[in-house]
């Protein structure tokens, strides 16, 4: 039996008029749940809901909730897809279950749309970069641009926005740098739609409106192209995205594209390279494009910590998308642990090492500036030619 849908607006009406009736169940993983959920919701993993010996009453009691005769149970995930099967199963068992139409993402979007005409949130986010996060974010943004020579007078930057917290913050930092008017440069805010759902694209465009970012959106259809690739299509998807971004940035007259990778991305990539690829290399602060002549990739958040980005997001009451591809939904459906990527493994390993060695993150980051060629058995030069320590032993 298919669980009936409930719209975000109707859910809000019930939350206002009969809050004690509602039992909200979030089926997402712990990380997503902690990043934000509907107030009052309890988390019961999808796999738990689908297990043969599952007892809803017992699970709710453990979470401090109790079923009443007139209870109304609402299940939700991010998109409304992974939560469909457990909602249907509970319906078959006779529970009064509704499925949130469009999931948590759609609920968020409806609330965000009400803020688009209010400039207070934008002004607060801008002010926080000048005050509270002046050193942790804006100072490090400028330092990366200065230390790595990421920006030169006359540059036209394509600030590439995926819709996540990192790229949205990068856009705000470019706006603040432009306001200071110390370097003559132009910036265009470019968003590629690889096949987002209406809810996801709506969240990106609504956030841009709230923050005053003049977004240029173009469609690529990459998700459809990589849907049938076995296992994880993420690498090919990323490569295709990069190519589309370069091409459209050139069409806008840009000579550089800016991506929102931060300090934590750098150290995780460095560790992943050693552990999984057997190479000592890192994520560079800037790169020349090999396929688009005259184009360059820059990473101005190179020195900014992810924890500070999260603090900026949360202190300003902002909500951004995470990975919104079809593959992510499929991982949630097939196996709750299928989404544990190598990057997440590296992140967890660094967090564990930090417990006993607080300096481990800085050590990994600095190691790429301190390679001693006389203490390695081999290396590749810029042309890709391999050299051995035996050559001048």
């Amino acid at each position: 039996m298919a669980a009936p849908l409930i719209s975000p607006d109707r859910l809000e009406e019930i939350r206002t008029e009969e809050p004690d009736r509602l039992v909200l169940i979030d089926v997402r993983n712990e990380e997503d749940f902690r990043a934000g959920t509907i107030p009052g919701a309890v988390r019961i993993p999808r796999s738990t809901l689908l297990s043969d010996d599952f007892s809803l009453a017992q699970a709710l009691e453990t979470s401090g909730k109790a079923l009443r005769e007139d209870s109304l149970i609402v299940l939700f995930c991010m998109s409304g897809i992974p939560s469909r099967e457990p909602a249907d199963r509970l319906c078959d068992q006779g529970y009064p279950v509704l499925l949130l139409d469009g999931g948590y993402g759609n609920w968020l979007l409806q609330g965000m749309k009400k803020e688009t005409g209010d400039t207070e949130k934008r002004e607060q986010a801008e002010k926080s970069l000048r005050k509270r996060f002046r050193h942790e974010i804006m100072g490090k943004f400028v330092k990366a641009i200065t230390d790595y020579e990421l920006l030169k007078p006359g540059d036209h930057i394509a600030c590439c926005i995926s819709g996540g917290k990192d790229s949205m913050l990068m856009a705000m930092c470019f706006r603040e740098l432009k306001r200071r008017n110390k370097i003559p440069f132009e910036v265009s805010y470019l968003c590629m739609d690889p096949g987002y759902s209406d809810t996801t694209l709506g969240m990106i465009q609504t956030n841009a409106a709230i923050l005053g970012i003049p977004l240029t959106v173009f469609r690529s259809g990459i998700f459809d192209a990589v849907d049938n690739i076995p296992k994880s299509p993420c690498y090919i998807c990323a490569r295709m995205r990069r190519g589309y971004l370069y091409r459209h940035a050139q069409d806008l007259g840009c000579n550089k594209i800016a991506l929102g990778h931060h300090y934590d991305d750098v150290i995780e990539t460095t560790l992943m390279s050693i552990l999984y690829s057997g190479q000592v290399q890192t994520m560079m602060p800037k790169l020349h494009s090999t396929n688009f002549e005259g184009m360059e990739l820059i990473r101005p958040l190179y020195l900014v910590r992810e924890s500070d980005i999260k603090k900026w997001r949360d202190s300003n009451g902002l909500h951004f998308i995470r990975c919104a591809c079809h593959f992510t939904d499929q991982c949630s459906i097939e196996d709750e642990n299928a989404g544990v990527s190598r990057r997440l493994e590296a992140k967890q390993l660094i967090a564990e090492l930090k417990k006993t060695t607080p300096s481990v993150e800085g050590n990994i980051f600095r190691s790429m500036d301190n390679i001693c060629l006389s203490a390695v058995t081999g290396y590749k030069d810029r042309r890709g030619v391999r050299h051995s320590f035996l050559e001048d032993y």
Side-chain angles (χ1 to χ4, degrees):
M1 177 179 174
L5 295 175
I6 181 172
S7 70
D9 288 341
R10 178 56 184 151
L11 175 61
E12 286 306 289
E13 289 176 4
I14 298 174
R15 287 185 67 224
T16 302
E17 298 169 2
E18 304 176 275
D20 294 338
R21 283 190 65 201
L22 273 180
V23 177
L24 294 166
I25 299 177
D26 190 333
V27 309
R28 298 174 300 157
N29 61 41
E30 181 70 21
E31 185 178 6
D32 289 339
F33 179 76
R34 288 185 177 182
T37 190
I38 300 174
V42 298
R43 188 181 85 89
I44 303 179
R46 182 179 184 277
S47 57
T48 301
L49 288 164
L50 293 175
S51 62
D52 293 334
D53 57 350
F54 172 71
S55 166
L56 181 59
Q58 185 176 350
L60 289 174
E61 186 177 345
T62 302
S63 302
K65 294 278 186 179
L67 282 176
R68 306 183 341 184
E69 288 186 3
D70 64 342
S71 285
L72 196 59
I73 304 167
V74 179
L75 259 66
F76 65 93
C77 55
M78 188 63 191
S79 65
I81 298 175
S83 53
R84 164 57 71 183
E85 186 179 353
D88 292 348
R89 176 177 286 198
L90 288 174
C91 266
D92 289 339
Q93 295 171 2
Y95 288 106
V97 173
L98 299 174
L99 181 66
L100 181 57
D101 190 12
Y104 177 63
N106 193 27
W107 179 84
L108 265 182
L109 177 59
Q110 302 313 309
M112 289 163 57
K113 285 180 177 178
K114 299 172 184 177
E115 300 176 337
T116 53
D118 186 358
T119 60
E120 184 178 346
K121 181 161 284 194
R122 185 197 73 213
E123 292 169 355
Q124 176 183 323
E126 291 174 343
K127 184 178 179 180
S128 68
L129 290 177
R130 299 168 198 156
K131 301 291 185 179
R132 178 177 175 183
F133 297 99
R134 178 183 175 185
H135 299 293
E136 295 88 345
I137 292 179
M138 202 61 213
K140 291 181 179 179
F141 178 83
V142 173
K143 180 174 172 57
I145 286 176
T146 303
D147 288 358
Y148 301 118
E149 300 178 358
L150 303 184
L151 189 59
K152 295 181 180 179
D155 278 345
H156 188 167
I157 310 297
C159 177
C160 300
I161 296 176
S162 66
K165 66 185 189 313
D166 310 325
S167 60
M168 283 291 191
L169 171 63
M170 178 176 65
M172 296 296 287
C173 288
F174 269 121
R175 290 181 75 243
E176 175 63 15
L177 189 64
K178 185 74 174 169
R179 186 191 67 84
R180 295 181 181 185
N181 202 30
K182 292 185 177 180
I183 304 174
F185 74 99
E186 297 298 323
V187 57
S188 297
Y189 302 94
L190 190 61
C191 175
M192 181 187 65
D193 173 12
Y196 289 137
S197 67
D198 291 342
T199 296
T200 297
L201 186 58
M203 287 183 68
I204 296 172
Q205 292 174 319
T206 302
N207 269 323
I210 291 171
L211 296 173
I213 299 169
L215 207 59
T216 298
V217 180
F218 70 94
R219 169 88 183 189
S220 69
I222 288 177
F223 284 172
D224 291 336
V226 301
D227 259 355
N228 296 322
I229 295 175
K231 297 184 180 179
S232 173
C234 300
Y235 173 76
I236 295 175
C237 180
R239 297 279 296 189
M240 292 178 69
R241 281 176 184 238
R242 187 100 30 109
Y244 274 102
L245 288 170
Y246 271 128
R247 185 174 300 111
H248 281 265
Q250 276 189 328
D251 291 342
L252 291 174
C254 302
N255 64 313
K256 294 178 179 178
I257 67 171
L259 302 184
H261 297 117
H262 48 67
Y263 183 99
D264 296 72
D265 289 324
V266 176
I267 61 176
E268 289 158 15
T269 298
T270 303
L271 189 60
M272 288 164 60
S273 175
I274 296 170
L275 296 179
Y276 304 121
S277 302
Q279 302 179 81
V280 178
Q281 59 183 31
T282 192
M283 179 181 281
M284 298 296 287
K286 63 180 181 180
L287 292 167
H288 289 294
S289 172
T290 55
N291 298 316
F292 295 85
E293 187 175 354
M295 294 293 292
E296 193 174 357
L297 180 155
I298 62 173
R299 295 183 169 105
L301 295 182
Y302 202 79
L303 302 177
V304 179
R305 297 304 308 263
E306 184 178 26
S307 58
D308 290 322
I309 298 175
K310 290 179 177 178
K311 289 176 185 176
W312 173 81
R313 175 198 66 192
D314 296 342
S315 69
N316 289 293
L318 298 167
H319 302 279
F320 303 115
I321 68 166
R322 300 187 63 173
C323 181
C325 69
H326 303 167
F327 180 73
T328 301
D329 274 341
Q330 191 60 33
C331 281
S332 299
I333 293 172
E334 291 175 354
D335 184 347
E336 206 173 30
N337 296 316
V340 179
S341 65
R342 287 180 171 179
R343 182 167 295 278
L344 181 56
E345 286 179 342
K347 185 186 290 287
Q348 292 170 340
L349 176 57
I350 292 170
E352 192 64 28
L353 292 170
K354 189 179 177 181
K355 293 177 182 178
T356 54
T357 310
S359 62
V360 68
E361 295 163 312
N363 291 343
I364 295 173
F365 187 88
R366 288 189 296 273
S367 68
M368 293 295 97
D369 276 335
N370 291 308
I371 294 175
C372 181
L373 291 182
S374 63
V376 297
T377 56
Y379 68 94
K380 290 181 182 178
D381 63 23
R382 287 181 177 272
R383 297 166 297 174
V385 177
R386 186 177 294 277
H387 297 272
S388 169
F389 82 103
L390 295 173
E391 292 174 2
D392 57 358
Y393 180 73

